[in-house]
Every structure is written in C-alpha cells, then in structure tokens.
Amino acid sequence: MTKPHVLVIPYPAQGHVIPIMELAQRLVKQGIKVTFVNTDVTHKLVTSNSLEKDGFGDLMQMVSIPDGLEPWEDRTDLCKLSKSVLRTMPGKLEGLIETINEENSNKVTCIIADGCMGWAIRVAKKRGISRAAFWPASVCTLASVLSYQKLIDDGIINNNGMPLNHDQMIQLSETMPPIKPTDLSWACFEDLPTVEAVFQVVREAVEAARLTEWYICNSTTELEPAAFSLYPQLLPIGPLLASNRLGDQAGHFWQEDSTCLEWLDQQKSCSVIYIAFGSFTIFNQTQFEELALGLELSNRPFLWVVRPGMTKETTAAFPVGYVERVGSRGKIVSWAPQQKVLAHPSVACFVSHCGWNSTLEGVTNGLPFLCWPYFADQFHNESYIRHIWKTGLGFNKDEGGIITRGEIKSKVAQLLGDNTFRVKAMDTKEKVTSAITKGGCSHKHLSNFIEWLQEQSTDAQEYST
C-alpha cells in the first residue's frame, strides 16, 4: 500500500507554526510522510533553532515557498503580508505540488492547511487532493469568523469587516461570553487597510471551510462546549502540546534559554510569577517600565520573557538600577521553553497576553492567569479565562491607557491571595486532561483523522499531477 503523504502549511506566525508542527509530529509517529511548507522567512527561523534534535527522521521534510515580500520587509505589517500571501503563494504552492509529484513516487495524498491559509484548500480541491483545515486558535474565535455574514446581516459590521456600532455587544450563543465588535479578531487593528486585509483572510477561511472534508481544531469540547455546539462540524483534537507526549516543542522562531529551568529549581514551590507575551505584543517604554516596577513591588520571585523587539524603542530599557535591585529574585530571558516552565512546580501564576497556545499551556498545567491581551483572538481568550472558566483576573488601565505598577502589584496579590483561582484552574486541568487521554473526545477525533489519512493513500495514484 502507498504510504500517506501529507502536505502541511501553517500561517507564517509563531502561534500558528507551533501547534500545526505538533500535529505533524503526531502524524509522523503514525508512519505518515509529511512535507511541512513554511514561507522562506519562517523556514529560516524555524530550521535555525536546532530542528534536527527533534528526531523527525526521513518522514518529515521541511521546505519553503516565498511569501512575495522582499527579505527585508516587515512581516508584522499584517496588511502588507496578508495581501502578498494571497497574491503570491497559491501559484507557488501549486508549483511545489507538481515538483513533489513528478520527483516522488509517494505523491501528495492530502493537504492540511491552517484555517488562515484558506486559499491552500482551494489549491487542493483544484488538484484533486484530499483536504483538511486546521484551526490553531480557540473555537470561539473561529465561530466569530464563520459567523461573519450574520454579523454583516445584523448590521454589526460592514462588508469590509469594520464595526458599525462600537457599543453593541456580540453574543453568538447564550452560553458564550459577549465580546465588543472592536475585539473581533480582524477588527482590533487601528488602521482601516489592515482591518480590510485581515478580513479578506477571514472570507477565505470561511470559503475554505465549505471545501474541507475535515475541520480539526486545537481545542476541546470541555473548554468550549458552546462554540462546538454552534458549529458541530468542527472537531476537537487538542490541546496539541509536546508535553502531552513527553517530547520537546518544535517550531520556535527564537532560541530558547534553558537556564531559567535551573533558576526555577532553586525557587520555592508555587512562588514564581511567570510573565510572557508571545511573539507579537509590543509595549511603549512607559508601559514596559511600569511592568518592571510592578514586578519589583510584588516582592515575589519572577521569570520574565523579554524577547527582541518587545518595545517600540530599539531595545527595552529597564529603570535605572532595576536589575541590581531585583538581583537574583528576578530572572529575565529573551525566550523560554514555555511548556517546561509552566509545568514547573515553582510557578504560581502566568501573566499572559492570552494567545491560544499560551492559554492551553497554562490551562493544562492548572495555573491561574493575569490576563493582558494585545490583539486578535486574545480578547476572546481573556473572556473565557475570566468569565467562563473563572481561572484568572484582568488589569485596569489608567486615564492614559497604562497599566500601572500599583495595579500590577494589587492584582498579583489578589490572584495569589485567593485559593479559589487555583482550585478552579486545577479543575479545568482535569477536564482537559480527560479529553486527550485514550477514550477522550479529542483523542478519538485525532485517531479517526489519522485513520482517514491512511485510507486516502490507497487512491494516491488516481490524483492528478
């Protein structure tokens, strides 16, 4: 029988690459050949971070195609990136598929595309290849994406995705948390061209959903029952975390600093504040300094990830004398092995931007959150943490839009002084763990999906090249 050969393509952002890379590793472990397609820039970042140690073997091949931008152009400009991807990558992907099928007797039998790369699903259909979409974020976010036409019909957004009434709250179902129109994943940007460009990605995602044979999601029904009930065709297979298979996480854009694990070993159990804001969050210097001083005032040990480019200034400047004052009580790294950090017994809570990967990692380890969302789906996730799971708190900003050092000190004390948050976090952890163990809902769906992929390979020779 011909071996299944799956082509996997993520959206070119850190939070998208990591979970679909984890999915790819699960497929490889089941004997499925995977060609993992990044953009040229993402490919260079990922492969420069010791990918060979992850033991993919001959079944995993990492390749790349251009995103259409020049090497020096800014990939955080989502307006420019989104337009360039839609303009350039469909043709490049078709060319790659032709090359693979000409040079390899093991032809591509299925394409698994990130939901934000909906155009790849259209390419798969055009080529007569089986197809599946993968959603790396919360299903609550995907539900708002799939509901965009209803939001237009109800007069909440216009045809370009812009909110028409900023005060009107959206509630997709009675048991889902309400959100502001300006917190929709495509509408939270400050400039109209970016909103319109990202909304085009949304339209592509919805069109792709109509063409997929499977739509698998990095979540569980235990975490988001209402969202899965709203769109029952969406199938949970998550959380997809390396820690669930006792492996190392792959797909990082930056080199991990593992010295923080040794530092955690020296701290008391459940004492450390862990602070990390993912790959996109940017602070101004004032906010950065207030955060630094708030951590100092907390009088607790802290591990803080300050990645390159985290502030609008060239380099993040700590308050004068800060590093000397906090001494060994504070550990600052540029990037951390986050799943291992969050699993460490010394960590007491997670100050997070509420990206979905970080949210799942915190939830899986039974940690309470202090929520500091920045953009896109992070406001949805904050709502779940605070109002549905009740495992965390948010921050209040002052008149100037700043979260002050006093507010940070106060919320840390409130969160860690009330054991209710820890109890609820541990309860949520148990529910999620049951989903991914044998017999659980996510485990069953992933097993069925892998079985389907293996069945597709029997017809591999019938696919057009």
Side-chain angles (χ1 to χ4, degrees), residues 315-337:
T315 55
F318 293 95
V320 176
Y322 180 76
V323 175
E324 293 76 16
R325 290 198 307 274
V326 298
S328 60
R329 181 163 68 82
K331 175 74 172 174
I332 299 168
V333 297
S334 59
W335 200 247

Side-chain angles (χ1 to χ4, degrees), residues 25-36:
Q25 291 186 78
R26 305 294 173 95
L27 302 184
V28 166
K29 284 188 177 294
Q30 297 300 318
I32 295 172
K33 181 177 174 62
V34 174
T35 296
F36 198 97

Side-chain angles (χ1 to χ4, degrees), residues 52 58 60 64 67 106-107 116 145 147 161 165 196 201 219 222 242 244 257 270 291 332 362 393 465:
E52 65 278 357
D58 295 335
M60 174 82 92
S64 69
D67 59 17
N106 199 187
K107 294 178 170 53
C116 292
V145 166
S147 301
N165 184 345
E196 291 180 344
V201 173
S219 187
E222 286 76 9
N244 293 340
D257 183 346
C270 207
L291 172 54
I332 299 168
L393 296 170
T465 58

